[in-house]
Amino acid sequence: MAFSITACVLLGIIILCLLRFLAAGTGLILLGKELRSFFFSPIAWVVLALVMLLNGLSFTAALADLREGERSVTLTAYTFNSIQFWLAYFFIFPVITMRLFAEEQKLGTIETLLTAPVTTIQLLLAKYLAAISFYIILWLPSLLNFVLFQMNSVDDHASIGSLAGSYTIIFLVGMFNIAIGCLASALTKNQLVAAMTCFTFCLLHFLLGFILQNLSVPDAFRETVTHFSTQIHVRAFIDGLIDTRQIIYYTSFSILLLNITYHVLEFRKWKV
């Protein structure tokens, strides 16, 4: 109950902050500019096509596997536990975040942005929300696959909870990983370095629980650290168990990472 109340309060604060940001004309203009820069970039369309292709392959492979006989798991669980899905997943964040601030620094336009009549938080939120928006769009075609399947199926209604949990954890983990990518991009002017840093930390966070299984560490330490393992969170959400503790975890750490990114940008601003 306490975690649910905390999650609701946190969600309310975020919504109020977003409404305040969108109500300001400058913030909305910056957001529109960043969204256009995403969709005018050929890399964005390549990423979208690649994610659609691999999601389609995962969906098709899951259907083929389920046709072989009675299975105790849903189509959603088969799809999001496949190698193809995770193959695409961890390459998304470096590609969509590496240019956010690193490109501005390389081109020398970061100084102009930081000294323009916009606040640092407006600039940061515009880039972050644009990346989140593009990330959501990446998964809409795969959601359509499940909607069409659900409309033509009479035996898979039990997967609705699994589907809701799967896309909830995809959004939460994406929100967290994009925040990591923003920080990595703000720390360097080299897009390749930003991409590798983002990929490394996102992958390490996901594999944290798996790595600890093969290490001789105290059980108390192992149990504590596994609470931070994305792999364990994903399994629970795919089973349809939406845990408010994980919602608080990913949301609060995303805010923390954005706060660090804000201070990095402020430091660069005062250097200018």
Side-chain angles (χ1 to χ4, degrees):
M1 184 65 179
F3 284 106
S4 299
I5 295 174
T6 305
C8 290
V9 171
L10 188 59
L11 181 62
I13 294 173
I14 293 173
I15 292 175
L16 288 175
C17 292
L18 290 178
L19 289 175
R20 182 178 178 183
F21 169 77
L22 294 175
T26 306
L28 200 56
I29 291 172
L30 285 172
L31 178 58
K33 171 183 173 295
E34 292 299 327
L35 283 173
R36 286 192 298 271
S37 69
F38 266 109
F39 290 102
F40 289 162
S41 169
I43 296 179
W45 294 102
V46 171
V47 172
L48 179 60
L50 180 61
V51 171
M52 288 178 61
L53 174 63
L54 292 177
N55 280 335
L57 291 174
S58 299
F59 187 80
T60 304
L63 281 176
D65 198 10
L66 289 173
R67 288 195 191 101
E68 294 180 358
E70 294 294 330
R71 303 289 182 177
S72 59
V73 297
T74 64
L75 173 66
T76 311
Y78 260 88
T79 303
F80 292 122
N81 277 326
S82 67
I83 296 176
Q84 293 93 330
F85 174 77
W86 295 113
L87 178 65
Y89 190 74
F90 286 107
F91 284 97
I92 293 173
F93 306 106
V95 174
I96 66 177
T97 62
M98 65 181 182
R99 54 170 293 277
L100 290 180
F101 295 103
E103 185 180 46
E104 302 281 6
Q105 296 180 63
K106 182 179 179 180
L107 297 176
T109 55
I110 189 69
E111 290 82 4
T112 305
L113 285 174
L114 292 176
T115 55
V118 296
T119 62
T120 305
I121 192 65
Q122 286 177 332
L123 176 63
L124 174 59
L125 286 179
K127 289 183 175 293
Y128 181 71
L129 292 177
I132 288 286
S133 300
F134 179 72
Y135 175 76
I136 292 173
I137 292 172
L138 288 178
W139 300 108
L140 292 181
S142 67
L143 179 60
L144 182 61
N145 290 337
F146 290 103
V147 171
L148 293 176
F149 180 83
Q150 201 75 8
M151 291 171 60
N152 295 278
S153 173
V154 295
D155 301 323
D156 203 52
H157 293 295
S159 69
I160 294 177
S162 177
L163 185 64
S166 297
Y167 279 94
T168 299
I169 193 63
I170 286 173
F171 174 75
L172 291 173
V173 175
M175 179 176 65
F176 173 77
N177 287 341
I178 289 173
I180 292 177
C182 282
L183 178 58
S185 185
L187 289 172
T188 178
K189 63 175 63 176
N190 189 313
Q191 294 187 39
L192 182 59
V193 173
M196 291 302 298
T197 303
C198 176
F199 178 81
T200 300
F201 280 97
C202 290
L203 188 61
L204 283 176
H205 183 264
F206 177 78
L207 295 176
L208 189 60
F210 177 78
I211 294 173
L212 286 175
Q213 292 177 2
N214 301 315
L215 296 179
S216 57
V217 295
D219 291 337
F221 176 77
R222 188 194 307 273
E223 292 178 3
T224 301
V225 176
T226 50
H227 286 298
F228 301 95
S229 173
T230 301
Q231 188 184 30
I232 295 175
H233 303 161
V234 167
R235 289 176 183 173
F237 274 74
I238 286 179
D239 290 337
L241 303 174
I242 299 179
D243 193 342
T244 54
R245 293 175 299 178
Q246 311 311 333
I247 295 176
I248 295 172
Y249 169 75
Y250 286 106
T251 304
S252 58
F253 271 90
S254 297
I255 294 173
L256 175 62
L257 289 167
L258 290 176
N259 185 47
I260 297 173
T261 306
Y262 169 79
H263 287 289
V264 171
L265 294 174
E266 278 288 289
F267 175 74
R268 294 188 183 278
K269 181 178 181 178
W270 287 110
K271 283 183 65 177
V272 174

